[in-house]
Amino acid sequence: MKDMNGLVIPTYDDMLAAHERIRPHVRLTPVRTSDYLNELAGCELFFKCENFQEPGAFKVRGATNAVFGLTEEQAKRGVATHSSGNHASCLSYAAMLRGIPCNVVMPRTAPQAKKDTVRRYGGVITECEPSTTSREATFAEVQARTGGDFVHPYNDPRVIAGQGTCSAEFMQQTGGLDIVVAPIGGGGMISGTCLTLATLAPETRVIAAEPEQADDAYRSFKAGHIIADDAPKTIADGLLVPLKDLTWHFVSNHVSEIFTASEQEIIDAMKLTWKHLRVVMEPSSAVPLAVVLKNRAAFRGKRVGIIITGGNVDLDKLPWMKG
Amino acid sequence: MKDMNGLVIPTYDDMLAAHERIRPHVRLTPVRTSDYLNELAGCELFFKCENFQEPGAFKVRGATNAVFGLTEEQAKRGVATHSSGNHASCLSYAAMLRGIPCNVVMPRTAPQAKKDTVRRYGGVITECEPSTTSREATFAEVQARTGGDFVHPYNDPRVIAGQGTCSAEFMQQTGGLDIVVAPIGGGGMISGTCLTLATLAPETRVIAAEPEQADDAYRSFKAGHIIADDAPKTIADGLLVPLKDLTWHFVSNHVSEIFTASEQEIIDAMKLTWKHLRVVMEPSSAVPLAVVLKNRAAFRGKRVGIIITGGNVDLDKLPWMKG
């Protein structure tokens, strides 16, 4: 870690250390290809299947790095976070692997399936109202009571170092890529990707993919400072959160471009992937393919890596189903 | 190949030769695992993802072996088959790879999507009426006209030797299995599995999984001779065809057991796999997991390999969708 004006930035060595730390606990996920999608996109696509992690998302990397990096003393008090998405289940999963407590603050309106998954992994849920004020107050109370180490879903150097391990594997598995495209929400995966590739493959460009209807990262990137949306609405529900100082550091310094896609483009890309890669991915994970298909000229003839970030979907409510 | 009373049986060496022949043209498909499904089933499950072949099914192995085994002379006249399923698209795909003609006789009632896929791979479709008489007459006419080499969907030693390559990879990737479970329709995959494991791992048991509503293989197995159903109806539409002499040879000599599953059990297993493996598989491919969950005692504590045979489904008509 290095300190930059009070901001603790993870380094390439932190990523390497994270990889050693988490290797026994996470999967070396496979890379999928499809001649059909290559032809359609006019470039050579490689899909890194992080949806194949046991809890179904790349977030298990950062969570596991944070959990297994705790001292014995701290581990006894466990970890705590607020999240209604994959970070909650992945942190619970990592804590379960180490056998330590995990407390999660979740809006009471979160889907029952998400709550069930956290509980299946032994996470203890404290419900809050679906507002920032209530979440912060509830979380402060939980943390004070349990002493759990706060593992932020993305604005945490341990988490970013963990997410960076995905690109290290990806480069090795593919033998090199011209471009890596990942979805951007809070920016954890994109930051980890930047962290790793800046050293490992500085010529590889990192492109972020964002829903048009939650395009705060795109607007931040263009404006040169963080802009947070009030209440974005998109089917890509893993990408609703805003950038924070640490992820902004990586995005502003290393991301080449941010492209956006409409809701329909995201749904079409999701269905294309299910059909031709035969892989179950979340709407958030379809945004990269959507932007590649929308900006073919920018990718033509290139070796393009796409990170399939997660595969937790409600199979009873697929976006192309009627009603 | 060895001749047994006029029946030409593929040997282990034929499988090895097939593997060398097809290796440049098919994928070494990954093996997926899920702690969740292991716990649910009470055994250690390994899923071989043949749905990740480019045309979405294991049948590309046998088809590629047949196509690339042709002499130059025969190759000019191409190949021909009758099929309304994965064999049609896989044979077209293999023929496209070699750059030779592929003629397919298909009932005019076959789904448009299946016809589109065959044509995308350059296959030429001749439609027949949906009856055995019409199919046989139409196929005879097509074969006489084109001189194409007939590649039967399963009752062909080249096809069985090709399908057998899947288990060879599977054993190497997993380091050994106690049981391999595959769906049974005409018996091509099961026969290839028996062929390979009888030599490579004779202690590994081969179990076939069949829909209750198309249980002709089960009844044949119990009766000791082939029983063909008149018009079976099951959601597992890859498994409607009957055993033939060559596949019966392997089934009767080497299969340990045939278990059956109901339509609802198949649908439940399919949804479980989509949710927890995050893999898109056909209903036919869900029958093995369905029978494992139904017969837990037979699998308890074992290392169980399941072959996910294919991933071509109509995403607009998933069996758990209403109406």
Side-chain angles (χ1 to χ4, degrees):
Chain A
M1 309 276 174
K2 63 182 177 194
D3 192 300
M4 280 178 67
N5 307 320
L7 198 61
V8 180
I9 315 265
T11 63
Y12 188 74
D13 283 343
D14 293 322
M15 184 283 292
L16 292 177
H19 216 170
E20 287 311 304
R21 188 176 290 128
I22 73 177
R23 212 186 290 275
H25 310 296
V26 305
R27 298 219 171 98
L28 174 58
T29 55
V31 173
R32 286 275 294 127
T33 60
S34 157
D35 297 347
Y36 179 86
L37 293 177
N38 287 352
E39 201 170 315
L40 187 69
C43 61
E44 200 174 355
L45 295 165
F46 301 85
F47 295 85
K48 175 78 166 155
C49 295
E50 288 298 295
N51 51 337
F52 289 175
Q53 295 291 356
E54 180 67 25
F58 75 92
K59 283 173 184 270
V60 71
R61 293 177 184 266
T64 305
N65 188 42
V67 162
F68 282 86
L70 295 177
T71 63
E72 283 301 321
E73 189 55 29
Q74 178 55 56
K76 281 182 203 147
R77 293 189 297 275
V79 286
T81 198
H82 48 74
S83 160
S84 55
N86 284 325
H87 178 65
S89 50
C90 286
L91 190 65
S92 304
Y93 176 79
M96 178 185 73
L97 292 184
R98 187 160 175 184
I100 66 175
C102 177
N103 278 278
V104 179
V105 171
M106 228 180 207
R108 61 171 172 74
T109 51
Q112 189 58 40
K114 302 262 182 193
K115 295 180 189 171
D116 291 345
T117 306
V118 165
R119 291 195 178 113
R120 175 147 56 82
Y121 295 142
V124 175
I125 297 173
T126 305
E127 294 191 351
C128 64
E129 293 305 306
S131 75
T132 309
T133 328
S134 168
R135 189 195 67 202
E136 287 176 356
T138 309
F139 184 73
E141 183 277 313
V142 166
Q143 209 191 0
R145 176 162 47 79
T146 64
D149 188 83
F150 177 32
V151 183
H152 190 277
Y154 51 92
N155 205 52
D156 181 313
R158 303 167 297 175
V159 169
I160 291 173
Q163 321 303 31
T165 61
C166 176
S167 290
E169 293 172 9
F170 205 2
M171 296 305 276
Q172 194 185 9
Q173 289 172 300
T174 57
L177 295 163
D178 298 314
I179 303 171
V180 172
V181 194
I184 190 162
M189 172 48 87
I190 278 287
S191 295
T193 306
C194 291
L195 164 62
T196 297
L197 297 183
T199 297
L200 184 65
E203 70 294 346
T204 300
R205 300 172 73 217
V206 177
I207 292 182
E210 195 176 36
E212 263 174 31
Q213 292 187 194
D215 68 344
D216 54 288
Y218 172 79
R219 286 181 291 118
S220 303
F221 189 71
K222 296 300 173 192
H225 58 87
I226 298 181
I227 299 171
D229 272 341
D230 196 28
K233 266 200 186 351
T234 166
I235 187 173
D237 60 359
L239 307 178
L240 295 170
V241 289
L243 296 169
K244 297 270 185 188
D245 54 4
L246 195 50
T247 52
W248 173 245
H249 166 82
F250 286 101
V251 169
S252 58
N253 281 296
H254 195 81
V255 165
S256 294
E257 189 57 83
I258 299 183
F259 288 127
T260 62
S262 71
E263 298 294 289
Q264 190 57 51
E265 287 160 349
I266 295 168
I267 294 170
D268 291 348
M270 180 177 169
K271 203 171 171 186
L272 265 176
T273 327
W274 284 46
K275 185 169 169 60
H276 294 283
L277 279 187
R278 295 155 187 115
V279 151
V280 171
M281 52 145 76
E282 306 174 4
S284 303
S285 303
V287 190
L289 180 61
V291 307
V292 168
L293 294 175
K294 190 176 185 172
N295 302 277
R296 282 180 173 78
F299 299 92
R300 195 170 314 287
K302 305 284 192 213
R303 291 168 60 83
V304 180
I306 285 180
I307 300 172
I308 301 184
T309 45
N312 292 321
V313 289
D314 184 344
L315 292 173
D316 293 315
K317 285 184 192 160
L318 298 175
W320 54 82
M321 285 180 174
K322 301 287 175 284
Chain B
M1 310 279 173
K2 63 181 177 195
D3 192 301
M4 277 180 68
N5 306 321
L7 199 61
V8 180
I9 315 265
T11 63
Y12 187 73
D13 283 344
D14 293 322
M15 185 282 292
L16 292 177
H19 217 170
E20 286 312 303
R21 187 176 291 128
I22 72 177
R23 212 186 291 275
H25 310 296
V26 304
R27 299 219 171 96
L28 175 58
T29 54
V31 173
R32 289 273 296 125
T33 60
S34 157
D35 296 347
Y36 179 86
L37 293 178
N38 287 351
E39 201 170 316
L40 187 68
C43 60
E44 198 175 356
L45 294 165
F46 300 86
F47 295 86
K48 175 79 167 155
C49 295
E50 289 297 296
N51 51 336
F52 289 176
Q53 295 291 355
E54 179 68 24
F58 75 91
K59 284 173 183 269
V60 71
R61 293 178 184 265
T64 304
N65 188 43
V67 162
F68 282 85
L70 294 177
T71 63
E72 282 301 322
E73 188 55 30
Q74 178 55 53
K76 283 183 200 145
R77 293 189 297 274
V79 286
T81 198
H82 49 75
S83 160
S84 55
N86 284 326
H87 178 65
S89 50
C90 288
L91 189 66
S92 303
Y93 176 80
M96 179 186 74
L97 292 184
R98 186 159 177 186
I100 67 173
C102 179
N103 279 278
V104 179
V105 171
M106 225 179 208
R108 62 172 173 71
T109 50
Q112 190 59 40
K114 301 263 180 190
K115 294 180 189 171
D116 291 347
T117 306
V118 166
R119 290 195 178 109
R120 175 148 58 81
Y121 294 143
V124 175
I125 297 173
T126 305
E127 294 191 351
C128 64
E129 294 304 306
S131 75
T132 308
T133 327
S134 168
R135 189 195 68 202
E136 287 178 355
T138 310
F139 184 73
E141 182 279 312
V142 166
Q143 210 193 0
R145 177 163 48 78
T146 64
D149 188 83
F150 177 34
V151 183
H152 189 278
Y154 53 91
N155 204 51
D156 181 314
R158 303 167 298 174
V159 170
I160 290 173
Q163 319 306 30
T165 62
C166 177
S167 290
E169 293 172 9
F170 205 3
M171 295 305 278
Q172 193 183 13
Q173 288 172 302
T174 56
L177 295 163
D178 298 315
I179 303 172
V180 172
V181 193
I184 189 162
M189 173 48 88
I190 278 287
S191 295
T193 306
C194 291
L195 165 62
T196 298
L197 297 183
T199 297
L200 184 65
E203 71 294 348
T204 300
R205 298 173 73 215
V206 178
I207 292 182
E210 195 175 35
E212 263 173 34
Q213 295 188 192
D215 67 344
D216 53 290
Y218 172 79
R219 286 180 292 120
S220 303
F221 189 71
K222 295 299 172 193
H225 58 87
I226 299 181
I227 300 171
D229 271 341
D230 195 28
K233 268 200 188 342
T234 167
I235 189 177
D237 59 0
L239 307 179
L240 296 170
V241 289
L243 296 169
K244 297 270 187 187
D245 53 3
L246 197 48
T247 52
W248 172 246
H249 166 81
F250 286 101
V251 169
S252 57
N253 281 296
H254 196 81
V255 164
S256 294
E257 189 57 83
I258 299 183
F259 287 127
T260 62
S262 72
E263 298 295 289
Q264 192 56 51
E265 287 161 349
I266 296 168
I267 294 170
D268 291 347
M270 179 177 170
K271 203 171 171 188
L272 265 177
T273 327
W274 285 46
K275 185 167 169 61
H276 294 283
L277 280 187
R278 294 149 188 121
V279 149
V280 171
M281 54 145 74
E282 307 174 2
S284 303
S285 304
V287 189
L289 180 61
V291 307
V292 168
L293 294 174
K294 191 175 184 171
N295 301 277
R296 281 177 172 82
F299 299 93
R300 193 170 318 284
K302 304 284 190 211
R303 293 169 58 82
V304 180
I306 285 180
I307 300 172
I308 302 184
T309 46
N312 293 321
V313 288
D314 184 343
L315 292 172
D316 294 316
K317 286 184 193 160
L318 297 174
W320 53 83
M321 286 179 174
K322 301 286 177 285

